Coordinates of all heavy atoms in Angstrom, one line a residue:
M1 N 5.2 -5.5 4.7 CA 5.6 -4.3 5.5 C 4.8 -3.1 4.9 O 4.7 -3.0 3.7 CB 7.1 -4.1 5.4 CG 7.4 -2.8 6.1 SD 9.0 -2.0 5.6 CE 9.2 -2.3 3.9
M2 N 4.5 -2.2 5.9 CA 3.8 -1.0 5.5 C 4.5 0.1 6.3 O 4.6 0.1 7.5 CB 2.3 -1.1 5.7 CG 1.6 0.2 5.5 SD -0.1 0.1 6.1 CE -0.7 -1.4 5.3
I3 N 4.9 1.2 5.7 CA 5.3 2.5 6.3 C 4.2 3.3 6.7 O 3.4 3.7 5.9 CB 6.4 3.2 5.5 CG1 7.6 2.3 5.2 CG2 6.8 4.5 6.2 CD1 8.7 3.1 4.3
F4 N 3.9 3.4 8.0 CA 2.7 4.3 8.5 C 3.1 5.8 8.4 O 2.3 6.5 8.0 CB 2.4 3.9 9.9 CG 1.6 2.7 10.1 CD1 1.8 1.8 11.0 CD2 0.5 2.6 9.3 CE1 1.0 0.8 11.3 CE2 -0.3 1.5 9.4 CZ -0.2 0.6 10.4
E5 N 4.4 6.1 8.9 CA 4.6 7.5 9.1 C 6.1 7.7 9.0 O 6.9 6.9 9.5 CB 4.1 8.0 10.4 CG 4.2 9.4 10.8 CD 3.1 10.2 10.0 OE1 2.0 9.8 9.8 OE2 3.5 11.3 9.6
T6 N 6.5 8.9 8.5 CA 7.9 9.3 8.5 C 7.9 10.7 9.0 O 7.1 11.6 8.6 CB 8.5 9.3 7.1 OG1 8.5 7.9 6.6 CG2 10.0 9.7 7.2
F7 N 8.7 11.0 10.1 CA 8.7 12.3 10.7 C 10.1 12.6 11.2 O 10.9 11.7 11.3 CB 7.6 12.4 11.8 CG 7.8 11.5 12.9 CD1 8.4 11.8 14.1 CD2 7.1 10.2 12.8 CE1 8.5 10.9 15.1 CE2 7.2 9.3 13.8 CZ 7.9 9.6 15.0
E8 N 10.4 13.9 11.6 CA 11.6 14.3 12.3 C 11.4 14.4 13.7 O 10.3 14.9 14.2 CB 12.0 15.6 11.8 CG 12.3 15.7 10.2 CD 13.6 14.9 9.9 OE1 14.6 15.1 10.7 OE2 13.6 14.3 8.9
H9 N 12.3 13.9 14.5 CA 12.3 14.0 16.0 C 13.7 14.3 16.5 O 14.6 13.4 16.2 CB 11.8 12.7 16.6 CG 11.8 12.7 18.1 ND1 11.0 13.6 18.9 CD2 12.5 12.0 19.0 CE1 11.1 13.3 20.1 NE2 12.1 12.5 20.2
K10 N 13.9 15.3 17.1 CA 15.2 15.8 17.7 C 16.3 15.7 16.6 O 17.5 15.1 16.7 CB 15.7 14.9 18.9 CG 14.7 15.1 20.0 CD 15.2 14.4 21.3 CE 14.2 14.6 22.4 NZ 14.7 13.8 23.6
G11 N 16.0 16.1 15.4 CA 17.0 16.2 14.3 C 17.1 14.9 13.6 O 18.0 14.9 12.6
A12 N 16.5 13.8 13.9 CA 16.6 12.6 13.3 C 15.3 12.2 12.6 O 14.2 12.5 13.0 CB 16.9 11.4 14.3
T13 N 15.4 11.5 11.4 CA 14.3 11.0 10.7 C 13.8 9.7 11.3 O 14.6 8.8 11.6 CB 14.7 10.8 9.2 OG1 15.0 12.0 8.6 CG2 13.4 10.2 8.5
V14 N 12.5 9.5 11.6 CA 12.0 8.3 12.2 C 10.9 7.7 11.2 O 10.1 8.5 10.8 CB 11.3 8.7 13.5 CG1 10.7 7.4 14.2 CG2 12.4 9.3 14.5
Q15 N 11.0 6.4 11.0 CA 10.0 5.8 10.3 C 9.3 4.7 11.1 O 9.9 4.0 11.8 CB 10.6 5.1 9.1 CG 11.0 6.0 7.9 CD 11.5 5.2 6.7 OE1 11.8 4.0 6.8 NE2 11.4 5.8 5.6
V16 N 8.0 4.8 11.1 CA 7.2 3.8 11.8 C 6.6 2.8 10.8 O 6.0 3.2 9.8 CB 6.1 4.5 12.6 CG1 5.1 3.5 13.3 CG2 6.7 5.6 13.5
R17 N 6.8 1.5 11.0 CA 6.4 0.5 10.1 C 5.7 -0.6 10.8 O 5.9 -0.9 12.0 CB 7.7 -0.2 9.5 CG 8.6 0.9 8.6 CD 9.8 0.2 8.3 NE 10.6 1.2 7.5 CZ 11.7 0.9 6.9 NH1 12.2 -0.3 6.9 NH2 12.4 1.8 6.3
L18 N 4.8 -1.3 10.1 CA 4.0 -2.4 10.6 C 4.4 -3.7 9.8 O 4.4 -3.6 8.6 CB 2.5 -2.1 10.4 CG 1.6 -3.2 10.8 CD1 1.7 -3.5 12.2 CD2 0.2 -3.0 10.3
Y19 N 4.7 -4.7 10.5 CA 5.0 -6.0 10.0 C 3.9 -7.0 10.4 O 3.5 -7.0 11.6 CB 6.4 -6.5 10.4 CG 7.5 -5.6 9.9 CD1 7.9 -4.6 10.7 CD2 8.2 -5.9 8.8 CE1 8.9 -3.8 10.4 CE2 9.2 -5.1 8.4 CZ 9.6 -4.0 9.2 OH 10.7 -3.3 8.8
D20 N 3.6 -8.0 9.6 CA 2.7 -9.1 9.9 C 3.4 -10.3 9.6 O 3.6 -10.7 8.5 CB 1.5 -8.9 9.0 CG 0.4 -10.0 9.3 OD1 0.7 -11.0 10.0 OD2 -0.7 -10.0 8.7
D21 N 3.7 -11.1 10.7 CA 4.5 -12.3 10.5 C 3.6 -13.6 10.6 O 4.1 -14.6 10.9 CB 5.7 -12.4 11.4 CG 5.4 -12.7 12.9 OD1 4.2 -12.8 13.2 OD2 6.3 -12.7 13.7
D22 N 2.3 -13.4 10.5 CA 1.3 -14.4 10.5 C 1.0 -14.9 12.0 O -0.1 -15.5 12.2 CB 1.6 -15.7 9.7 CG 1.6 -15.3 8.2 OD1 0.8 -14.5 7.7 OD2 2.4 -16.0 7.4
E23 N 1.8 -14.6 12.9 CA 1.5 -15.0 14.3 C 1.3 -13.7 15.2 O 0.6 -13.8 16.2 CB 2.6 -15.8 14.9 CG 2.8 -17.2 14.4 CD 4.0 -17.9 14.9 OE1 4.4 -17.6 16.1 OE2 4.4 -18.9 14.3
R24 N 1.8 -12.6 14.7 CA 1.6 -11.3 15.4 C 1.8 -10.2 14.6 O 2.3 -10.3 13.5 CB 2.7 -11.3 16.6 CG 4.1 -11.4 16.1 CD 5.1 -11.6 17.2 NE 6.4 -11.9 16.5 CZ 7.5 -11.7 16.9 NH1 7.6 -11.4 18.2 NH2 8.6 -12.0 16.3
F25 N 1.5 -9.0 15.0 CA 1.7 -7.7 14.4 C 2.9 -7.1 15.2 O 3.0 -7.2 16.4 CB 0.6 -6.8 14.5 CG -0.6 -7.2 13.7 CD1 -1.8 -7.7 14.3 CD2 -0.6 -7.1 12.3 CE1 -2.9 -8.1 13.6 CE2 -1.7 -7.6 11.5 CZ -2.8 -8.1 12.1
V26 N 3.9 -6.5 14.4 CA 5.0 -5.9 14.9 C 5.1 -4.5 14.5 O 5.1 -4.3 13.2 CB 6.4 -6.7 14.6 CG1 7.6 -6.0 15.2 CG2 6.2 -8.2 15.0
L27 N 5.2 -3.6 15.3 CA 5.3 -2.1 15.0 C 6.8 -1.7 15.4 O 7.2 -1.9 16.5 CB 4.3 -1.3 15.8 CG 4.2 0.1 15.4 CD1 3.4 0.2 14.0 CD2 3.4 0.9 16.5
R28 N 7.5 -1.1 14.4 CA 8.9 -0.7 14.6 C 9.0 0.8 14.3 O 8.5 1.2 13.3 CB 9.8 -1.5 13.8 CG 10.0 -2.9 14.1 CD 11.0 -3.6 13.2 NE 11.1 -5.0 13.4 CZ 12.0 -5.6 14.1 NH1 13.0 -4.9 14.5 NH2 12.0 -6.9 14.3
A29 N 9.8 1.4 15.2 CA 10.1 2.8 14.9 C 11.6 2.8 14.7 O 12.4 2.3 15.5 CB 9.8 3.7 16.1
T30 N 12.1 3.2 13.5 CA 13.5 3.1 13.2 C 14.1 4.5 12.8 O 13.3 5.4 12.4 CB 13.8 2.1 11.9 OG1 13.1 2.7 10.7 CG2 13.4 0.8 12.2
N31 N 15.3 4.6 13.0 CA 15.9 5.9 12.6 C 16.3 5.9 11.1 O 16.0 4.9 10.4 CB 17.2 6.2 13.4 CG 18.3 5.2 13.2 OD1 18.3 4.4 12.3 ND2 19.3 5.3 14.1
G32 N 16.9 6.9 10.6 CA 17.1 7.0 9.2 C 18.1 5.9 8.6 O 18.0 5.6 7.4
T33 N 18.8 5.3 9.4 CA 19.8 4.3 9.0 C 19.1 2.9 9.1 O 19.8 1.9 8.8 CB 21.0 4.2 9.7 OG1 20.9 4.0 11.2 CG2 21.8 5.6 9.7
G34 N 17.9 2.8 9.7 CA 17.2 1.5 9.8 C 17.4 0.8 11.2 O 16.9 -0.2 11.4
K35 N 18.2 1.5 12.1 CA 18.4 0.9 13.4 C 17.1 1.1 14.2 O 16.5 2.2 14.4 CB 19.6 1.7 14.1 CG 19.8 1.2 15.4 CD 21.1 1.9 16.0 CE 21.3 1.5 17.5 NZ 22.3 2.2 18.2
P36 N 16.7 0.0 14.8 CA 15.4 0.1 15.5 C 15.5 0.9 16.8 O 16.6 0.9 17.5 CB 15.1 -1.4 16.0 CG 15.9 -2.2 15.0 CD 17.1 -1.4 14.7
R37 N 14.6 1.8 17.0 CA 14.5 2.6 18.2 C 13.5 2.1 19.3 O 13.9 1.9 20.4 CB 14.2 4.0 17.9 CG 15.2 4.7 16.9 CD 14.7 6.1 16.6 NE 14.8 6.9 17.8 CZ 15.2 8.1 17.9 NH1 15.6 8.7 16.9 NH2 15.2 8.7 19.1
Y38 N 12.4 1.6 18.7 CA 11.4 1.0 19.5 C 10.7 -0.2 18.8 O 10.6 0.0 17.5 CB 10.3 2.0 19.9 CG 10.8 3.2 20.7 CD1 11.1 4.4 20.1 CD2 11.1 3.1 22.1 CE1 11.5 5.5 20.8 CE2 11.6 4.2 22.8 CZ 11.7 5.3 22.1 OH 12.3 6.4 22.8
V39 N 10.3 -1.2 19.5 CA 9.7 -2.3 18.9 C 8.5 -2.8 19.8 O 8.7 -3.0 21.0 CB 10.6 -3.5 18.6 CG1 9.9 -4.7 17.9 CG2 11.8 -3.1 17.7
Y40 N 7.3 -2.9 19.2 CA 6.2 -3.3 20.0 C 5.5 -4.5 19.2 O 5.5 -4.4 17.9 CB 5.1 -2.2 20.1 CG 5.7 -1.0 20.9 CD1 6.1 0.1 20.3 CD2 5.6 -1.0 22.3 CE1 6.6 1.2 21.0 CE2 6.1 0.1 23.0 CZ 6.5 1.1 22.3 OH 7.1 2.2 23.1
S41 N 5.0 -5.5 19.8 CA 4.3 -6.5 19.1 C 3.1 -6.9 19.9 O 3.0 -6.8 21.1 CB 5.2 -7.7 18.8 OG 5.6 -8.3 20.0
I42 N 2.1 -7.5 19.2 CA 0.9 -8.1 19.8 C 0.6 -9.4 19.0 O 0.7 -9.4 17.8 CB -0.2 -7.1 19.7 CG1 -1.4 -7.7 20.5 CG2 -0.6 -6.8 18.3 CD1 -2.5 -6.6 20.8
A43 N 0.3 -10.4 19.9 CA 0.0 -11.7 19.2 C -1.4 -11.7 18.5 O -2.3 -11.1 19.2 CB 0.1 -12.8 20.3
K44 N -1.6 -12.4 17.5 CA -2.8 -12.7 16.9 C -3.5 -13.8 17.6 O -2.9 -14.7 18.1 CB -2.8 -13.0 15.4 CG -2.2 -11.8 14.6 CD -2.2 -12.4 13.2 CE -1.6 -11.3 12.2 NZ -1.6 -11.9 10.8
I45 N -4.8 -13.7 17.6 CA -5.6 -14.9 18.1 C -6.6 -15.3 17.0 O -7.0 -14.5 16.2 CB -6.3 -14.7 19.5 CG1 -7.3 -13.5 19.4 CG2 -5.3 -14.4 20.5 CD1 -8.1 -13.2 20.6
D46 N -6.8 -16.6 17.0 CA -7.8 -17.1 15.9 C -9.3 -17.0 16.5 O -9.5 -16.7 17.7 CB -7.4 -18.4 15.4 CG -7.4 -19.5 16.5 OD1 -8.2 -19.4 17.4 OD2 -6.6 -20.4 16.3
Q47 N -10.2 -17.3 15.6 CA -11.6 -17.1 16.0 C -11.9 -18.1 17.2 O -12.8 -17.8 17.9 CB -12.5 -17.4 14.8 CG -12.4 -16.3 13.8 CD -13.3 -16.6 12.6 OE1 -13.6 -17.7 12.2 NE2 -13.6 -15.5 11.8
I48 N -11.4 -19.3 17.1 CA -11.7 -20.2 18.2 C -11.2 -19.7 19.6 O -12.0 -19.7 20.5 CB -11.1 -21.6 17.9 CG1 -11.7 -22.2 16.6 CG2 -11.2 -22.5 19.1 CD1 -11.0 -23.4 16.1
E49 N -10.0 -19.2 19.6 CA -9.5 -18.7 20.9 C -10.3 -17.4 21.3 O -10.6 -17.3 22.5 CB -8.0 -18.2 20.7 CG -7.1 -19.4 20.6 CD -5.7 -19.0 20.4 OE1 -5.2 -18.2 21.3 OE2 -5.0 -19.3 19.4
A50 N -10.7 -16.6 20.3 CA -11.4 -15.3 20.6 C -12.8 -15.7 21.2 O -13.2 -14.9 22.0 CB -11.4 -14.4 19.4
G51 N -13.4 -16.7 20.7 CA -14.8 -17.1 21.1 C -14.7 -17.6 22.6 O -15.8 -17.5 23.3
S52 N -13.6 -18.0 23.0 CA -13.5 -18.6 24.5 C -13.2 -17.5 25.5 O -13.1 -17.8 26.6 CB -12.5 -19.7 24.5 OG -11.2 -19.2 24.2
L53 N -12.9 -16.3 25.0 CA -12.5 -15.2 26.0 C -13.7 -14.7 26.6 O -14.9 -14.6 26.3 CB -11.8 -14.0 25.2 CG -10.5 -14.4 24.6 CD1 -9.9 -13.1 23.8 CD2 -9.5 -14.8 25.7

């Protein structure tokens, strides 16, 4: 896990974090208590799959 950014939005602290679970990248924006506000993910592809695109 890596914390990209911490900032204030409408009086709340927001942390943007990146996770790598070996199959995809997941980006989460959480409030100060750790409750997810937004979650985005993208699947990884390997070199064989990428070469066939």
Side-chain angles (χ1 to χ4, degrees):
M1 174 203 37
M2 175 188 304
I3 298 176
F4 276 139
E5 187 75 37
T6 301
F7 58 93
E8 297 290 322
H9 177 68
K10 296 184 179 180
T13 300
V14 178
Q15 287 187 336
V16 179
R17 299 176 182 184
L18 175 67
Y19 298 87
D20 178 354
D21 70 3
D22 293 328
E23 293 181 16
R24 61 192 171 159
F25 292 109
V26 180
L27 188 73
R28 292 180 185 256
T30 62
N31 64 13
T33 64
K35 181 179 177 185
R37 297 180 64 139
Y38 301 99
V39 178
Y40 298 96
S41 66
I42 186 165
K44 293 181 179 180
I45 56 174
D46 59 34
Q47 290 179 337
I48 294 170
E49 290 178 58
S52 66
L53 295 175

